[in-house]
Amino acid sequence: MCTGNNVPSSKDGVLWAAGGDDCGTAPDETDTLSDPGAGGDKLEGTDSAQDDTLHLQRRVGLFSGVALIVGTMIGSGIFVSPSGLLIRTGSVGMSFVIWIACGVLSLLGALAYAELGTMNTSSGAEYAYFMDAFGPLPAFLFSWVSTLVLKPSQMAIICLSFAKYAVEAFVTECEPPETVVKLVSVLAILVIMYINCYSVNLATGVMNVFTAAKLVAILIVIVGGLWKFLEGNTQNIEQPFQGTTSSFGNVATAFYTGLWAYDGWNNLNYVTEEIKNPSKNLPRAIIIGIPLVTVCYVLINISYLAVMSPAEMVESEAVAVTFGNRILGVMAWLIPLSVTISTFGSANGTLFAAGRLCFAASREGHLMGILSFVHIRRMTPAPGLIFHSIIAIAMVLSGTIDSLIDFFSFTAWIFYGGAMLALIVMRFTRPNFPRPYKVPIIIPVLVLVISTYLIIAPIIDTPQVEYLYACLFIVAGLVFYVPFVHYQYNPSLMEWPNVLPPTASSPGARGSSSLR
């Protein structure tokens, strides 16, 4: 924590810096400032400096950026979503159309985000873009929903999938005990939290290693399935569009299922403040990462259909496990292991990005001040990471994760569409703003139209109570925004987390206010 006199305070050897106050960097952590005139990236900006707002250091390179995208996107979705997508589309052919369309939509959305991310390189993604385009209220509503529901629920769903497959490797005849699954989920969240709090380099290293491992595992599934396909097992795709649904609502909810598997395509924008040479590496990582994921997903579905019929895929709760049991024999244990590797890496990337959202929103005074604190030596937003982990653990223990997938997708695409609108608005309100990377205007317009369809069609065709909860939760954010942010009401109860006991190095040290 930083005091008002810029003197770091300590407690048990832990040093903190408040992102919203004037703080310097720790010794040996100051980077050399990039000189635009010397060929440096104009977006590199400065790292933490004397009398300047604290920033996170730039440590994420191109490979780590691709690993963050691929590692976060390829999680549990491709191993559990194919059956749900088949149910909602009604046919193999339409399910492939949805898989490819979801990949294209994710790529177009990410390219639009790349322009936003190179315009504003601070952490926080949609939060920062809404602040620029619309002002503090929409930005607060996004941080409110994302911090309390979207990111923690995403983390909880992924960790529950991790735990289910991890425990299933030790259970043969029955379903894994629910208590054990939840306990393993909580332990996974705690381990991932520790990794991300300990070191940015360790967190990105875990992402790199687990991304490489999951790609090897996926390659095993693809090669095994294609081998069966080349042997002549093509009967499951001979009439691909037979039974295709005619319901627009079912198609929209099928997109929800597919897009859950692709979710994470925008996670790199949450860490643009830490990307090296962001004007080049951000769009490059997107262009490499998302098409790679799309190709993997299509090939994996072909592999599934070479071994199982559509009806068998629908009946299977764990498609990948059924696939492994049929094709790998005594080596079938490789599939649960592959899924646990995949989901652990995805959960690590999810928390890595989520902590940066807390950091960015709190730095603007929209969340408790302690969430903008950064470990002054390790340069990790530890309070934000811990806060997200606690909420994710609560969601794991509540046992209501299944119903959150539609809730998550519905709510997320409200804000994805809002980000597209922000980009369009800023083309007119900030026409001369530096744009090192610029997409054709048709891309954000197209993604905005599709996101509007994904929001409206399910409400009209197949309304669910989760959609009402999502809208009510967004509106409920106004109840907190008006007193605590707009009128800056700061009750003493909200101040105590920001205060450390006096120490010898900084008597009476206090942190920044909780809701400035």
Side-chain angles (χ1 to χ4, degrees):
M1 185 178 74
C2 277
T3 68
N5 297 321
N6 292 333
V7 179
S9 63
S10 63
K11 185 176 184 290
D12 300 328
V14 179
L15 300 178
W16 301 94
D21 295 312
D22 296 332
C23 304
T25 55
D28 303 325
E29 289 287 353
T30 306
D31 284 356
T32 302
L33 303 184
S34 300
D35 181 8
D41 187 355
K42 293 181 180 180
L43 293 178
E44 284 287 345
T46 62
D47 287 306
S48 306
Q50 187 79 16
D51 299 326
D52 189 20
T53 300
L54 187 71
H55 295 278
L56 300 171
Q57 290 187 332
R58 297 191 182 277
R59 303 181 186 180
V60 181
L62 176 60
F63 184 82
S64 293
V66 173
L68 176 60
I69 292 175
V70 175
T72 306
M73 290 176 68
I74 301 179
S76 62
I78 189 57
F79 301 106
V80 297
S81 293
S83 56
L85 206 149
L86 272 173
I87 293 172
R88 290 175 170 178
T89 58
S91 70
V92 170
M94 181 56 70
S95 71
F96 274 99
V97 170
I98 297 296
W99 278 115
I100 296 172
C102 288
V104 173
L105 179 60
S106 300
L107 177 61
L108 294 179
L111 290 175
Y113 267 61
E115 177 177 331
L116 291 166
T118 54
M119 286 176 62
N120 186 336
T121 60
S122 62
S123 295
E126 291 96 339
Y127 176 84
Y129 315 146
F130 290 169
M131 183 69 75
D132 287 344
F134 309 126
L137 177 56
F140 170 81
L141 291 178
F142 170 77
S143 64
W144 159 261
V145 175
S146 189
T147 300
L148 296 180
V149 175
L150 289 182
K151 291 298 180 184
S153 66
Q154 185 181 21
M155 179 81 173
I157 294 167
I158 295 171
C159 286
L160 279 171
S161 300
F162 163 83
K164 182 176 181 180
Y165 277 90
V167 174
E168 193 166 318
F170 301 96
V171 178
T172 55
E173 299 295 333
C174 57
E175 283 291 309
E178 183 178 355
T179 303
V180 177
V181 170
K182 290 188 175 184
L183 178 60
V184 173
S185 301
V186 171
L187 290 175
I189 292 173
L190 293 175
V191 170
I192 293 168
M193 180 188 72
Y194 175 79
I195 290 171
N196 280 268
C197 289
Y198 184 80
S199 168
V200 173
N201 290 337
L202 178 60
T204 56
V206 168
M207 280 189 292
N208 294 345
V209 171
F210 275 71
T211 297
K214 76 172 64 178
L215 288 177
V216 171
I218 286 172
L219 183 63
I220 294 173
V221 175
I222 291 173
V223 170
L226 291 181
W227 177 261
K228 299 293 289 185
F229 187 79
L230 293 175
E231 286 183 341
N233 295 322
T234 61
Q235 63 275 13
N236 294 326
I237 59 172
E238 290 176 353
Q239 295 179 315
F241 290 96
Q242 183 177 1
T244 300
T245 183
S246 59
S247 167
F248 286 102
N250 284 346
V251 172
T253 53
F255 265 98
Y256 284 175
T257 305
L259 289 169
W260 164 249
Y262 281 95
D263 199 78
W265 54 264
N266 64 325
N267 269 3
L268 195 58
N269 284 67
Y270 286 93
V271 298
T272 48
E273 194 170 310
E274 297 170 84
I275 298 175
K276 301 173 183 176
N277 198 1
S279 64
K280 293 182 179 179
N281 285 337
L282 180 59
R284 284 177 180 174
I286 289 168
I287 292 171
I288 294 171
I290 296 178
L292 176 62
V293 173
T294 304
V295 170
C296 287
Y297 282 1
V298 171
L299 292 177
I300 287 174
N301 276 277
I302 292 175
S303 297
Y304 288 156
L305 289 167
V307 177
M308 292 175 281
S309 68
E312 289 172 328
M313 287 180 64
V314 168
E315 293 174 0
S316 175
E317 292 185 0
V319 178
V321 171
T322 304
F323 173 89
N325 291 336
R326 293 192 178 184
I327 199 171
L328 297 179
V330 295
M331 301 297 289
W333 57 269
L334 282 173
I335 295 299
L337 177 63
S338 300
V339 178
T340 56
I341 290 173
S342 178
T343 48
F344 188 89
S346 180
N348 179 74
T350 299
L351 185 62
F352 187 89
R356 275 65 185 173
L357 172 62
C358 261
F359 170 82
S362 180
R363 190 168 57 180
E364 295 293 331
H366 285 183
L367 294 173
M368 292 175 62
I370 194 173
L371 299 181
S372 70
F373 287 13
V374 175
H375 195 288
I376 203 165
R377 287 178 180 159
R378 304 193 183 279
M379 300 302 292
T380 58
L385 295 167
I386 295 170
F387 180 73
H388 269 288
S389 299
I390 291 172
I391 298 178
I393 289 173
M395 289 186 170
V396 165
L397 297 177
S398 70
T400 59
I401 299 303
D402 289 341
S403 63
L404 286 174
I405 291 183
D406 281 350
F407 173 82
F408 171 87
S409 298
F410 174 81
T411 311
W413 276 95
I414 293 176
F415 293 110
Y416 293 159
M420 297 303 107
L421 182 61
L423 176 55
I424 296 169
V425 167
M426 285 191 285
R427 284 288 182 91
F428 296 97
T429 59
R430 301 188 178 191
N432 299 321
F433 203 83
R435 288 175 170 84
Y437 177 82
K438 189 174 182 179
V439 295
I441 192 66
I442 187 62
I443 288 180
V445 171
L446 179 61
V447 177
L448 176 59
V449 170
I450 294 174
S451 63
T452 303
Y453 163 75
L454 291 175
I455 296 166
I456 295 176
I459 296 177
I460 296 175
D461 194 78
T462 53
Q464 299 182 39
V465 69
E466 286 82 8
Y467 306 150
L468 176 61
Y469 290 158
C471 295
L472 291 177
F473 196 86
I474 294 173
V475 173
L478 293 172
V479 176
F480 290 84
Y481 176 82
V482 173
F484 296 118
V485 179
H486 183 71
Y487 289 108
Q488 299 184 356
Y489 174 62
N490 187 23
S492 57
L493 181 64
M494 302 295 289
E495 178 67 20
W496 70 267
N498 304 323
V499 182
L500 291 180
T503 65
S505 61
S506 57
R510 294 180 62 85
S512 56
S513 59
S514 62
L515 284 171
R516 300 182 294 277

